[in-house]
Amino acid sequence: MKVWIDGQLVEESEAKVSVFDHGLLYGDGVFEGIRMYHNRVFRLREHIERLYWSAKAILLEIPMTQDEMIRACVETCRANGLRDGYIRLIVTRGKGTLGLDPRRCPKPSVIIIAATIQLYPEKYYQEGLTIVTVPTTRNLVNSVNPAIKSLNYLNNILARIEANNANVEEAILLNSEGFVAECTGDNVFLVHKGRLLTPPLSAGALYGITRGTVIDCAREMGIPVAEPNLTRYDVYIADEMFLTGTAAEMVPVVKVDGRVIGDGRPGPMTGRLLQAFRERTRVDGEVIFE
Ligand code: PXG
């Protein structure tokens, strides 16, 4: 496998960062997870835009333009002969001293890994997931804002451990006010009386690219979409529920905290939206091999 690191494509064994990189020492950096489908990098421009927003929020200057970054991602896919798969793009604060001041890190590092992806088993898409709400609260918007896709994922990892302990695949995190924020690596959607509902970004959710795509699809299909604050009560009485994320795409949820959602099977609106989403993945994004 060839990995892009600081402007060069090198063999995986040569792709190394310093133990003094603040990405490792402090989780000081930002990342993206991006999919390739059918010879296209899906919504690449949107992912790169979000990466630069995350970097801006932590005052990290990426030493490349957005267009250069887009070309580097496509080039890394080509170098690995990939038409379908997953890109992990990481920008770290770079090598510094053993002190957390980012001013001691003169040069950020850019790493692009293009690989295949481990998907959820098909069973979850057919039958739907069982999930739980966990005690770990989503980060406050005035601490590490959940809108920043930072290398600091410990809060999400703690929630994932709580999901593991409950023997389920995902976990709902509430915000400090008790409203639904999102899951550990997915945004949350409900269907209630024909309307599509998802928490507002201000509730403590990532500005999900899949979330945005699903909202676009729904609007095109004439489905009313709203972003109200949602409680666990709203989740329990929903007719349908699904999660969205780059890795999961759209995965139905049929049970939350022991409550059956709707009739306990993936719902019809979830199915229609998934079909529309899949169609988008065929036509949207930068072409890899001309
Ligand atoms: N919330 C959080 C906290 C995320 O990390 C999403 C929502 C969904 O956003 P997108 O833009 O992907 O629709 C994410 C994305 C992984 C992995 O390796 C995680 C994500 C994406 C890709 C891979 O677990 N999280």
Side-chain angles (χ1 to χ4, degrees), residues 5-284:
I5 182 158
D6 297 328
Q8 283 186 306
L9 276 163
V10 301
E11 275 307 321
E12 184 182 333
S13 56
E14 303 296 312
K16 292 178 182 154
V17 293
S18 165
V19 293
F20 292 96
D21 192 307
H22 280 208
L24 177 67
L25 288 175
Y26 301 110
D28 186 353
V30 294
F31 79 105
E32 278 297 322
I34 310 167
R35 284 287 286 277
M36 300 90 89
Y37 296 97
H38 322 294
N39 194 35
R40 285 174 186 274
V41 187
F42 187 58
R43 297 233 154 171
L44 181 56
R45 264 179 203 285
E46 287 84 349
H47 279 284
I48 298 304
E49 183 178 49
R50 185 172 70 183
L51 178 79
Y52 280 71
W53 286 341
S54 292
K56 185 167 189 185
I58 68 163
L59 215 71
L60 172 64
E61 200 169 327
I62 300 176
M64 296 165 73
T65 66
Q66 293 199 29
D67 281 332
E68 285 167 349
M69 191 65 89
I70 287 168
R71 283 198 291 276
C73 288
V74 172
E75 212 180 298
T76 308
C77 295
R78 275 195 207 129
N80 290 287
L82 289 166
R83 289 178 163 80
D84 288 274
Y86 180 74
I87 298 172
R88 171 59 57 92
L89 170 49
I90 306 144
V91 185
T92 75
R93 187 74 70 179
K95 192 175 159 188
T97 53
L98 291 175
L100 57 80
D101 190 344
R103 290 175 302 186
R104 299 280 172 271
C105 308
K107 194 171 152 283
S109 263
V110 177
I111 300 161
I112 306 170
I113 305 167
T116 51
I117 183 171
Q118 174 86 46
L119 298 170
Y120 271 146
E122 184 56 26
K123 178 173 117 161
Y124 295 148
Y125 295 90
Q126 300 296 334
E127 295 170 16
L129 287 181
T130 292
I131 64 172
V132 294
T133 316
V134 293
T136 294
T137 298
R138 198 70 187 96
N139 290 340
L140 298 175
V141 291
N142 57 347
S143 66
V144 181
N145 192 312
I148 303 170
K149 206 164 164 60
S150 84
L151 294 182
N152 253 284
Y153 254 48
L154 253 188
N155 200 63
N156 306 50
I157 290 164
L158 290 175
R160 175 67 211 212
I161 289 168
E162 289 159 352
N164 292 349
N165 288 344
N167 265 315
V168 296
E169 288 293 329
E170 251 297 8
I172 297 177
L173 291 106
L174 305 178
N175 66 20
S176 59
E177 290 182 285
F179 293 112
V180 174
E182 60 176 346
C183 289
T184 66
D186 300 295
N187 290 107
V188 171
F189 281 85
L190 303 177
V191 177
H192 191 246
K193 292 196 179 294
R195 286 201 314 158
L196 188 63
L197 307 174
T198 190
L201 300 171
S202 57
L206 185 75
Y207 188 172
I209 306 289
T210 321
R211 177 185 183 278
T213 309
V214 168
I215 291 173
D216 289 350
C217 290
R219 294 217 165 105
E220 271 181 22
M221 292 159 76
I223 299 166
V225 184
E227 300 178 36
N229 268 321
L230 296 167
T231 63
R232 278 192 294 169
Y233 171 80
D234 299 308
V235 173
Y236 300 155
I237 66 157
D239 301 317
E240 300 179 32
M241 178 175 186
F242 62 86
L243 310 180
T244 64
T246 293
E249 304 177 345
M250 283 179 60
V251 61
V253 176
V254 294
K255 204 178 210 188
V256 181
D257 299 339
R259 279 80 163 178
V260 172
I261 305 300
D263 66 1
R265 283 182 312 197
M269 194 185 284
T270 305
R272 284 170 61 209
L273 285 167
L274 178 58
Q275 200 181 343
F277 175 81
R278 292 241 160 103
E279 280 162 24
R280 288 279 177 125
T281 65
R282 297 193 163 273
V283 294
D284 238 340

